[in-house]
Amino acid sequence: SLLGVLLVAGPRDFEPDAVSFLETVARELGIGLQNALSYEEAQDLLGRLSASNERIRTQNQELKGQAEKIQAQNEELRNQREELRSQARALAEVDERKNHFLAVLAHELRNPMAPLTTSLEILRRSPAESDAALQAQEVIGRQTRQLVRLVDDLLDVTRISRGKLHLERE
């Protein structure tokens, strides 16, 4: 590509050595100009490369910050997961205690039922004022009071679990 024109004029024609010298000078000037243009292009590329490197460094810092945030979030999620597991274990334990309580309660409620049923049968078969009828009435009264106490206790447990009744230990 043409970079410039070197015009040399004189009052007469140039000698072949002078023409050869001028051609060499023109070639060297062309190489110098080409080197200067290449240098400018290289400087421009270096500037753009430096700007790109700076953008990449900035992006890397941002990504590092984001990675640290993600790591902190992951740690918090691990902690929350462990807390949920702990709560699940506690809930399972509470559920087990509740099931045990209900089993004991069912047993305790069933205990008075047999004497009640038997006493009712005695009352049905015996005369109203007989010793067996009076004894059966006593059993029914005693067992009914027992059932009422058990139901009252159950209602108290329900009130406590709902926060409507507070226990004070002394």
Side-chain angles (χ1 to χ4, degrees):
S1 74
L2 183 65
L3 297 177
V5 175
L6 178 62
L7 179 63
V8 180
R12 57 180 164 28
D13 287 340
F14 290 104
E15 300 273 327
D17 284 343
V19 170
S20 175
F21 172 74
L22 289 174
E23 286 174 347
T24 301
V25 167
R27 263 194 311 275
E28 292 299 320
L29 282 174
I31 290 171
L33 285 174
Q34 187 65 39
N35 285 344
L37 289 174
S38 294
Y39 177 78
E40 286 178 9
E41 287 176 6
Q43 289 298 80
D44 181 53
L45 285 173
L46 283 173
R48 287 188 292 179
L49 181 62
S50 178
S52 291
N53 282 341
E54 187 57 36
R55 278 194 310 273
I56 289 171
R57 262 188 240 107
T58 301
Q59 289 172 347
N60 281 341
Q61 289 294 1
E62 290 171 0
L63 288 173
K64 184 179 178 183
Q66 290 173 356
E68 289 171 356
K69 285 180 185 177
I70 289 171
Q71 188 175 10
Q73 289 170 345
N74 283 341
E75 183 64 30
E76 179 151 342
L77 286 173
R78 276 191 288 275
N79 291 340
Q80 288 174 353
R81 189 179 327 119
E82 192 55 42
E83 178 66 24
L84 286 174
R85 285 182 182 145
S86 175
Q87 289 175 1
R89 285 189 296 269
L91 286 174
E93 184 179 319
V94 167
D95 189 50
E96 180 61 32
R97 285 189 298 211
K98 176 198 66 151
N99 289 339
H100 178 71
F101 171 77
L102 290 175
V104 168
L105 178 66
H107 179 73
E108 292 297 323
L109 287 173
R110 190 181 319 139
N111 282 342
M113 295 297 187
L116 282 172
T117 305
T118 303
S119 295
L120 286 172
E121 187 63 31
I122 291 171
L123 280 176
R124 215 174 64 223
R125 293 182 184 191
S126 302
E129 298 299 321
S130 69
D131 285 342
L134 292 175
Q135 190 177 10
Q137 288 174 2
E138 286 177 22
V139 169
I140 289 172
R142 188 173 54 246
Q143 296 304 322
T144 302
R145 286 189 298 277
Q146 177 65 18
L147 279 172
V148 168
R149 273 197 312 275
L150 287 171
V151 171
D152 285 345
D153 289 348
L154 178 60
L155 289 173
D156 287 345
V157 168
T158 303
R159 288 184 194 113
I160 291 168
S161 68
R162 290 186 178 165
K164 294 182 179 182
L165 183 66
H166 299 283
L167 295 178
E168 290 185 21
R169 296 181 184 184
E170 292 184 15

